[in-house]
Amino acid sequence: MISPLSALVDDYVFDQLLPPYVRNRSPRYWTPVAVAARVGALFRVHGARKVLDVGCGPGKFCIVAGSLCSELQFHGVEQRPRLIRHGNRLARYFGVTNIRFDAKDATLVPWDDYDGFYFFNPFAENMFQAQDRFDDDASLSAARFGSELLRVESLLARARVGTVVVTYHGLGGPIPSSYELVANEPAGTNRIRVWIQGPARESSWAWLEEGDGALRVLRNDVGRTLASLAAKGRD
Ligand SMILES: C[S@@+](CC[C@H](N)C(=O)[O-])C[C@H]1O[C@@H](n2cnc3c(N)ncnc32)[C@H](O)[C@@H]1O
């Protein structure tokens, strides 16, 4: 019997609770427990109360962050229903009541309910080679990648002042220029960045996360810059 407490501090122990096909992909696909704990703390420090995990997989981030930050609400939305079934099972196992999971397209649920958004590069899989994709359950494509990134940019642009966005391995696309990068630290196999929404503004540029930092990119150049960053990543 695995102790719930040890699973909240050790990836190996947590991942043992997942079936092999989900566990085997954990290092690449699911937030490590130490990163989840840190991201939860950053949401709390920056004043978020209700966080949407955009593409929550089997719920590892929500379960760890929700267990450690009981005053926050975490809502995980995932396109693959069978992962949500594991998330619900694990939430019951850990007895966490401040988290909720739904099987839906996370870019199509209303975002005005939330003051925090977590992205572990959820849309990048659209651009993966077939053998690197998690499974065949989701229909993925470059066209979907482009349209989801544009939808997310516009949803984030409309978010309330003070909205907290945390990325791990980046969001994967443009972040509106109204956001300020307030924290940027190494974590796990990449970086955690914290962005806070300021007053809305019309702007000709957007942020793109790149390497250790973030670039200001003219809106007209976003597509081209993303393509060249993706090519660099494949080299
Ligand atoms: C890299 S995993 C991160 C999982 C989880 N957030 C974590 O940190 O452990 C990205 C997840 O996003 C999901 N996803 C991608 N696009 C989605 C969308 N539009 N709606 C819902 N889920 C999506 C994928 O199926 C995958 O499970």
Side-chain angles (χ1 to χ4, degrees):
M1 171 72 179
I2 291 173
S3 118
L5 205 56
S6 61
L8 293 176
V9 293
D10 187 311
D11 285 296
Y12 177 81
V13 179
F14 189 104
D15 293 347
Q16 290 305 306
L17 299 166
L18 298 168
Y21 83 97
V22 186
R23 181 193 314 149
N24 296 341
R25 301 296 186 95
S26 186
R28 177 157 195 195
Y29 276 86
W30 321 132
T31 302
V33 290
V35 175
R38 178 69 183 145
V39 171
L42 287 165
F43 274 120
R44 179 167 48 202
V45 164
H46 290 285
R49 309 287 308 165
K50 196 167 176 195
V51 175
L52 176 66
D53 180 3
V54 179
C56 66
K60 189 171 178 180
F61 164 73
C62 289
I63 288 166
V64 175
S67 301
L68 301 176
C69 304
S70 53
E71 72 280 32
L72 271 62
Q73 299 289 318
F74 292 89
H75 184 193
V77 178
E78 166 58 44
Q79 64 184 343
R80 293 180 162 103
R82 59 180 175 155
L83 294 181
I84 287 294
R85 285 197 285 279
H86 296 301
N88 283 326
R89 174 177 58 79
L90 291 180
R92 281 195 298 277
Y93 172 79
F94 284 98
V96 247
T97 53
N98 56 329
I99 62 180
R100 180 163 77 83
F101 295 117
D102 275 305
K104 288 186 178 150
D105 182 331
T107 66
L108 297 178
V109 301
W111 282 26
D112 5 329
D113 282 356
Y114 306 98
D115 55 12
F117 296 91
Y118 177 58
F119 298 87
F120 173 1
N121 207 351
F123 311 110
E125 194 187 350
N126 281 289
M127 305 303 282
F128 288 180
Q129 302 289 315
Q131 68 272 16
D132 293 326
R133 292 180 174 171
F134 181 75
D135 60 21
D136 298 330
D137 285 2
S139 98
L140 304 169
S141 66
R144 183 176 167 196
F145 180 67
S147 68
E148 288 190 330
L149 289 182
L150 288 178
R151 194 150 61 237
V152 165
E153 185 187 11
S154 125
L155 288 163
L156 290 181
R158 279 186 266 140
R160 284 186 294 277
V161 173
T163 295
V164 184
V165 170
V166 180
T167 67
Y168 174 57
H169 280 263
L171 182 151
I175 295 175
S177 58
S178 49
Y179 283 75
E180 186 188 351
L181 180 60
V182 298
N184 179 2
E185 57 188 53
T189 51
N190 193 258
R191 306 187 77 75
I192 294 170
R193 292 184 181 83
V194 182
W195 299 87
I196 308 273
Q197 166 76 313
R201 61 173 168 189
E202 279 303 311
S203 177
S204 56
W205 60 273
W207 293 107
L208 276 185
E209 295 159 299
E210 199 265 336
D212 289 351
L215 305 170
R216 289 172 185 228
V217 178
L218 288 175
R219 290 234 72 286
N220 290 345
D221 291 340
V222 164
R224 198 162 355 126
T225 310
L226 273 176
S228 82
L229 292 178
K232 248 206 267 174
R234 281 195 297 272
D235 292 342

